[in-house]
Amino acid sequence: MATIKDVASRAGVAVGTASRVLSGSPQTSPDSRRRVLAAAAELGYIANAQARSLRRARTDVLGLLVSDIRNPFFSELAHAAEQEARAHGYTVILANANEDAAQADAVLDVFAAQRIDGILLSPQGPRTPRLEALLASNLPIVLLNRSIEGVDAPLYGTDNAGGVAQALTWLQRRGHRDVAFIGGPESFSTGAERHDAYLAGRAAHGISTDDALVDAGDFLADGAADAMRRILDRGALPTAVFGANGQTTLGAMRAVHDRLGAEAASLIEFVSFDDVEWFAFMSPPVSAVRNDAPEIGRAGVRGLLALIAGNTAESQRIPTSFVDRAEGGQA
């Protein structure tokens, strides 16, 4: 007799995706449903009706796992998500992954034990066995700002390509050619998307394509400082630095000041993907791509509640804006 693993293999999808399709979950794409149902028919797969009939008791509690609560982006997102959930009669349990996959898995174990109604998840990289088990259980899950390859769940996040284009346009207008780019981990979709968009767009904006000016950190200040030092060690002397998030920009600034001194560092302009309140008070002020973190949080909650109600939910990319704090710019 064919098993669900056989169906998933024939359809070319993860076991969790096959399980959701066969249980009638709306948390699947039309393409996945077509392939899984075709594979099940070809193999003569008969689902376990008793297992399929199991239903979770409603608790009116949602789990929210953010990547790093110290990052203002995620704190703003979490606050807005919690307020949106409360407006719909739900309580939110908030947890922090600290940009660590093992810590994220431990939190997911706790969420599963709490019998929550659904999870808002900002992933820490590729899917893990713990996440696979939760997906296979048909617990409603939406992703916040980061996607996971092979996971068929709605994503509510930033328009990374659009935000990078705004920063490149600003750099070009400011007359910069030798720009250092400090990215994030390419195992994170945000890191990969911002890195790829920068490489794809730099030449068209008159920016050097010398890869000695490109490095990556871990989306935290210390890792970014290390990446900035590596660029400087190659003999590069950029006129501007583009950090792939707020913590990255902070770390890069620290490394430049430590290595070059305050006077030389003041001649280098910084631009950040992620705005931080105190950027306005730096000397010189830091211009930034501004994410609409609150709207991402609210949209994620609305999508998750749609799944809990048995409806479909569509992924959504939230547009960014740009804050120009350079002399002569417009805030």
Side-chain angles (χ1 to χ4, degrees), residues 164-194:
V164 169
Q166 290 172 325
L168 287 170
T169 298
W170 179 85
L171 287 164
Q172 182 181 42
R173 190 170 66 247
R174 298 291 295 170
H176 292 292
R177 181 182 183 279
D178 295 323
V179 177
F181 175 74
I182 312 295
E186 291 194 49
S187 58
F188 296 171
S189 64
T190 43
E193 289 176 12
R194 292 172 194 177

Side-chain angles (χ1 to χ4, degrees), residues 268-302:
I268 298 175
E269 287 197 294
F270 287 82
V271 61
S272 174
F273 198 119
D274 278 350
D275 193 21
V276 179
E277 184 176 0
W278 45 261
F279 279 169
F281 306 102
M282 302 296 292
S283 183
V286 178
S287 297
V289 175
R290 178 174 287 170
N291 291 299
D292 193 346
E295 181 55 26
I296 292 172
R298 290 188 291 266
V301 168
R302 293 192 293 267

Side-chain angles (χ1 to χ4, degrees), residues 77-104:
L77 182 156
H79 178 264
E82 192 271 340
Q83 291 299 302
E84 182 73 15
R86 282 179 60 83
H88 292 275
Y90 282 80
T91 298
V92 173
I93 299 175
L94 173 63
N96 175 43
N98 205 40
E99 297 290 14
D100 182 272
Q103 185 166 319

